[in-house]
Amino acid sequence: MKVMIVDDNAADRRLLRVNLEHHTCEVVEAADGRQALILAQWYQPDLIISDALMPDMDGFQFLRAVKRNATLMHIPFIFYSAVYTGHKEEALAKSLGAEAFIVKPKDPVAFWEEVVGIVDACRAREGRTVVQGLVQEEEDFLRMYSHVVARKLEEKVAELSTACAELQKREADATMLSLQWQSTFDAVKEAVWICDEGATILQCNRATSDLLGMPKDDIIGKTCFTLLHGAPISINECPMERVKASGKRESAHFVLNGKHIDVTVDPITSLNGGTRRFVHTASDISERVRAGEERKKLEAQLAQSQKMEAVGQLAGGIAHDFNNILSVIVGYAELAKLKLGEDSPAGKFIDNLMDGADRATGLIRSLLTFSKTQMMDMAPVDINQIVGRVRMFLERIIGEDIRLVTEIAGQELLVMADGGQIQQVLINLAINARDAMPDGGTLVIRTEQVMLDTETVTQYGGCDAGAYAFISVTDTGVGMDEAVKGKIFEPFFTTKESGKGSGLGLPMVYGIIKQHNGFINVYSEPDEGTEFRIYLPLVNETVACSSPSSLPYPPNGTETILIAEDNDALRDVADELFTSFGYKVISARDGEDALKKFIAHADAVDLCFLDMIMPGKGGKETFEEISRLQPDMKFLFASGYTADTIFRKGIADIHSNFIVKPFAPKLLLRKVREILDGTDKMHSDIRPHHGE
Ligand code: ADP
Ligand code: MG
């Protein structure tokens, strides 16, 4: 059997041909109706199997042409089409003379059976074939045909718009994904960019723009090495080049525009084995680097301050011994003066000797301040006198280029203070002022009495309104900005090069002023100089703050004093002093000896004068044991050492029962008299303080 297949789809034609040839049919193919019409006349097939929808001339037009052609009209015609939506097509096909309308795809065996059935039926009614299509009116055909075609079109339009909607959805999804990706990318704090193998930047996030200081559009398309390093080719340290070789993460450290940047590069594995990509991640580690440097600086400062601490301890130790020596000198000088009498010509020499000892005492004081082991020796002092005393010294410190002006208040400014520490405050401030005026200038120290109201005092962090001694220290130096001003009282804060500043000057000043219940404020602008303002509460006491030498000697005594002192010379001078003033003295070498002698003369002893630091049994232990034996025994303690030590020894009131070495003999005699007479209100309060 000769069969003609008409179909625009070559694959469909091929499938059909294989099936037909399998049943020994002879097959000829055509791709559309027009081609098929020509071929059919020449080939005269026994059967035509045609698709419905084809370009140029479709299946229906082709069928109509076949049935109108006298040489072809007898050939059975079967539609084999997938575009089947209802009975309309089938009806039209049948009305035009088609034998059947088979819906594609159909199982090959069933298809063949159906085809055979149709061909057999045709043969059976041979000659009686009535071609309905020919009798159909042209108008009818056109109406039905256009109807079918319109439906097909509607169908196609519907299909297309579904496809279109699907496409739009995919596009929206893709846009959404890309937006999500970009915002995630931009949310990363680190600068991230992606390069191709030639180091051209394909993508970058916002942090990259921030890092390079240029918009994204100026970055994309440029090479990494031009943007980052201004280089014409990849630089030697390029981590991406290393990734190309190693295939794994590589990193490098760069300094860009003064920032420390860590760059890490990871390879991006491509799915299709195409060109490789590299993702760069850069983080600004400047803060960390700075913190590291800061730590190193702090460590150096710590080392420095530990060194100072050691030097301080050494100085403290020397000062201790020196105090004893000075006490001996001062003691004997005083005694000598007494023995010589008022109008002895040698009296002047002794005065000079004592002046020298006084200066040495001052020196020891500063050594102890430096070693931070000195006693707070609180007494009413006149701030004006302190300024006067320290003036000469300051002039020497600040040098010739700087003029020192002092403006002293008209009235006395009496405050409860440790004169030595207030001096230290002035010295520290003057040194800073000098450092702030490398090319010279003026340093003004002004004192004044001021009244502070509650509001001002509260604002300064205090609580007692009233009269204050005001000290202003003003320089015409470089001044400070806000940042520096905010930190000057912090320990170790310094703007000076290492070796020049310790950053401990102002913290010390601050500490001292606080201990004195005062306030300190700073006023400064860059290039406008600096003023430190100090307020110390005034005291009303009329107690003379003059040196002990101007005080009268106390009356002689008759009591017995037990002296415990390990320094022989010092013990001797104290013995001599007390004996000269009528006292009976029992001398002990140390605590152990003192205890023994106390037991032996318990009824005789009226007062124990104990050195705090002695080998073996120290002042505290001796005090405790004697008080146990005789609870109402009176004591006086002496030490050149630290308030700390005294407190640690557990003796509560150091002010009334304590005398700082080197002691002025007159002061020692007065103290002893006060304690013995009970005029020293505090002495009876001291009791062993157990439990530290
Ligand atoms: P140091 O003098 O060792 O640096 P200080 O604690 O005395 O330490 O001072 C801390 C810092 O305060 C100084 O490094 C300086 O920057 C600043 N400073 C202190 N006094 C003055 C001043 N009179 N003028 C300008 N700056 C000052
Ligand atoms: Mg300083």
Side-chain angles (χ1 to χ4, degrees):
M1 183 163 64
K2 285 197 276 183
V3 184
M4 172 175 238
I5 303 170
V6 189
D7 200 319
D8 56 335
N9 187 316
D12 283 0
R13 284 201 305 269
R14 189 163 167 67
L15 264 175
L16 204 50
R17 172 194 274 272
V18 170
N19 190 15
L20 295 172
E21 282 179 346
H22 175 71
H23 293 101
T24 65
C25 292
E26 201 177 294
V27 177
V28 65
E29 292 175 30
D32 64 56
R34 202 171 299 285
Q35 199 183 23
L37 199 60
I38 297 161
L39 268 177
Q41 290 176 72
W42 177 76
Y43 187 70
Q44 286 293 320
D46 303 314
L47 174 70
I48 296 173
I49 301 175
S50 173
D51 189 15
L53 273 188
M54 287 178 297
D56 202 3
M57 179 186 269
D58 69 13
F60 298 101
Q61 289 170 310
F62 172 49
L63 171 60
R64 204 163 129 83
V66 166
K67 293 302 173 191
R68 287 185 165 186
N69 186 309
T71 58
L72 301 177
M73 60 196 305
H74 64 280
I75 305 173
F77 193 110
I78 297 173
F79 269 108
Y80 185 44
S81 173
V83 222
Y84 178 77
T85 50
H87 299 288
K88 284 263 163 59
E89 287 93 337
E90 194 169 359
L92 176 64
K94 291 262 175 72
S95 74
L96 288 173
E99 301 302 330
F101 198 105
I102 303 175
V103 180
K104 220 192 237 176
K106 191 151 184 149
D107 164 66
V109 178
F111 179 81
W112 176 249
E113 277 168 5
E114 194 168 348
V115 166
V116 169
I118 292 164
V119 172
D120 286 349
C122 280
R123 285 209 181 111
R125 58 163 207 267
E126 193 110 16
R128 292 180 285 121
T129 311
V130 181
V131 182
Q132 282 178 317
L134 284 179
V135 294
Q136 230 182 17
E137 290 303 320
E138 185 76 2
E139 204 181 308
D140 279 351
F141 167 72
L142 283 177
R143 206 187 55 243
M144 273 186 79
Y145 179 67
S146 62
H147 192 82
V148 167
V149 170
R151 279 200 49 162
K152 295 268 177 233
L153 273 176
E154 269 168 29
E155 230 171 81
K156 281 284 169 199
V157 167
E159 257 172 45
L160 274 175
S161 59
T162 313
C164 198
E166 178 66 20
L167 263 178
Q168 273 171 351
K169 190 177 167 303
R170 281 194 201 168
E171 199 177 301
D173 286 352
T175 313
M176 184 56 102
L177 262 177
S178 132
L179 280 177
Q180 271 172 1
W181 147 256
Q182 191 60 46
S183 58
T184 311
F185 200 34
D186 281 342
V188 177
K189 286 266 177 308
E190 283 75 26
V192 182
W193 66 92
I194 296 169
C195 287
D196 66 10
E197 267 180 301
T200 301
I201 298 174
L202 306 171
Q203 269 174 305
C204 72
N205 67 351
R206 189 170 300 143
T208 311
S209 288
D210 296 345
L211 177 72
L212 297 175
M214 53 176 81
K216 206 180 266 184
D217 290 347
D218 291 355
I219 298 173
I220 298 201
K222 303 263 167 56
T223 54
C224 215
F225 43 81
T226 26
L227 278 187
L228 264 68
H229 314 290
I233 51 164
S234 269
I235 60 162
N236 281 343
E237 305 81 12
C238 178
M240 191 182 107
E241 292 303 322
R242 278 186 276 130
V243 175
K244 283 186 192 169
S246 69
K248 59 175 181 51
R249 162 178 283 220
E250 298 283 355
S251 46
H253 179 96
F254 300 112
V255 179
L256 300 175
N257 308 327
K259 291 180 191 157
H260 290 266
I261 310 288
D262 256 354
V263 179
T264 304
V265 180
D266 290 293
I268 304 179
T269 350
S270 70
L271 289 175
N272 54 4
T275 31
R276 284 198 294 168
R277 300 276 150 89
F278 302 88
V279 58
H280 294 58
T281 313
S283 21
D284 186 345
I285 56 158
S286 307
E287 271 307 314
R288 238 161 55 208
V289 171
R290 253 194 297 282
E293 281 165 3
E294 198 61 29
R295 204 189 55 238
K296 264 190 224 147
K297 225 161 72 189
L298 272 177
E299 279 167 2
Q301 275 170 351
L302 185 65
Q304 175 73 4
S305 67
Q306 278 169 343
K307 199 168 76 193
M308 298 288 273
E309 195 69 31
V311 174
Q313 273 177 14
L314 185 69
I318 294 171
H320 172 69
D321 292 340
F322 213 73
N323 264 335
N324 287 342
I325 298 167
L326 271 177
S327 297
V328 174
I329 295 172
V330 173
Y332 279 118
E334 195 87 40
L335 279 172
K337 210 176 158 196
L338 276 174
K339 289 266 146 73
L340 285 171
E342 278 298 319
D343 23 69
S344 161
K348 268 208 96 49
F349 300 150
I350 292 176
D351 282 347
N352 285 340
L353 183 70
M354 280 168 53
D355 272 357
D358 255 2
R359 279 200 297 277
T361 304
L363 195 69
I364 290 299
R365 276 275 151 81
S366 16
L367 260 183
L368 285 170
T369 306
F370 169 69
S371 69
K372 288 187 255 118
T373 52
Q374 131 252 36
M375 285 285 309
M376 274 268 278
D377 194 5
M378 296 295 240
V381 289
D382 181 5
I383 290 296
N384 294 338
Q385 278 191 17
I386 294 179
V387 174
R389 265 209 301 272
V390 85
R391 210 203 125 99
M392 280 258 292
F393 184 61
L394 294 186
E395 264 172 349
R396 257 201 324 241
I397 293 176
I398 60 178
E400 283 159 10
D401 291 347
I402 297 170
R403 203 161 66 93
L404 174 65
V405 179
T406 48
E407 294 169 9
I408 303 299
Q411 72 272 52
E412 193 177 54
L413 297 174
L414 216 53
V415 299
M416 199 57 164
D418 181 325
Q421 295 205 347
I422 301 298
Q423 280 183 27
Q424 190 64 49
V425 165
L426 293 172
I427 292 167
N428 285 5
L429 293 179
I431 291 174
N432 280 346
R434 176 199 66 192
D435 294 345
M437 297 185 285
D439 304 321
T442 309
L443 172 62
V444 182
I445 301 179
R446 190 162 57 88
T447 67
E448 209 179 294
Q449 177 171 332
V450 295
M451 293 299 293
L452 294 185
D453 56 21
T454 316
E455 197 183 318
T456 314
V457 170
T458 317
Q459 189 194 325
Y460 292 167
C463 53
D464 295 327
Y468 280 78
F470 170 68
I471 313 166
S472 151
V473 180
T474 309
D475 65 56
T476 55
V478 294
M480 292 173 246
D481 60 21
E482 289 301 320
V484 170
K485 236 188 296 177
K487 292 194 151 173
I488 51 173
F489 293 117
E490 287 176 16
F492 304 124
F493 174 78
T494 180
T495 56
K496 296 167 192 173
E497 57 192 74
S498 86
K500 279 243 170 103
S502 65
L504 289 171
L506 288 179
M508 195 171 183
V509 166
Y510 185 84
I512 291 173
I513 299 302
K514 280 283 142 206
Q515 275 179 339
H516 285 81
N517 299 320
F519 321 114
I520 179 163
N521 295 323
V522 60
Y523 301 86
S524 184
E525 297 287 336
D527 299 322
E528 297 286 329
T530 301
E531 180 181 7
F532 282 94
R533 292 188 189 167
I534 294 170
Y535 301 87
L536 295 169
L538 286 180
V539 287
N540 297 325
E541 277 184 62
T542 44
V543 181
C545 55
S546 42
S547 69
S549 55
S550 64
L551 294 170
Y553 273 100
N556 281 15
T558 52
E559 292 89 341
T560 302
I561 300 175
L562 171 65
I563 304 175
E565 166 66 62
D566 57 314
N567 183 300
D568 295 341
L570 197 58
R571 192 172 60 243
D572 288 350
V573 74
D575 188 335
E576 198 78 47
L577 191 67
F578 287 135
T579 317
S580 303
F581 277 80
Y583 296 96
K584 287 183 268 310
V585 172
I586 302 168
S587 275
R589 282 189 311 281
D590 53 34
E592 201 62 57
D593 193 23
L595 197 61
K596 233 188 289 169
K597 289 194 168 136
F598 181 81
I599 292 166
H601 308 276
D603 294 340
V605 178
D606 295 293
L607 179 133
C608 296
F609 178 42
L610 307 177
D611 187 21
M612 285 309 299
I613 296 155
M614 291 183 289
K617 222 183 275 298
K620 183 196 167 194
E621 290 83 0
T622 315
F623 158 69
E624 280 169 354
E625 294 193 22
I626 292 178
S627 339
R628 241 197 309 275
L629 293 172
Q630 192 163 321
D632 53 358
M633 179 48 59
K634 291 170 172 170
F635 293 92
L636 176 63
F637 305 97
S639 175
Y641 234 29
T642 83
D644 240 21
T645 320
I646 308 304
F647 281 120
R648 265 191 257 120
K649 295 284 175 201
I651 295 165
D653 192 287
I654 53 156
H655 183 54
S656 314
N657 297 279
F658 187 82
I659 188 158
V660 182
K661 280 183 185 178
F663 34 76
K666 217 179 272 181
L667 208 65
L668 176 62
L669 289 167
R670 288 177 68 92
K671 263 256 134 74
V672 163
R673 208 48 265 154
E674 276 169 19
I675 295 173
L676 284 172
D677 293 347
T679 49
D680 178 72
K681 47 192 184 305
M682 307 297 284
H683 87 275
S684 54
D685 293 347
I686 18 160
R687 283 291 157 258
H689 184 278
H690 298 289
E692 316 254 307

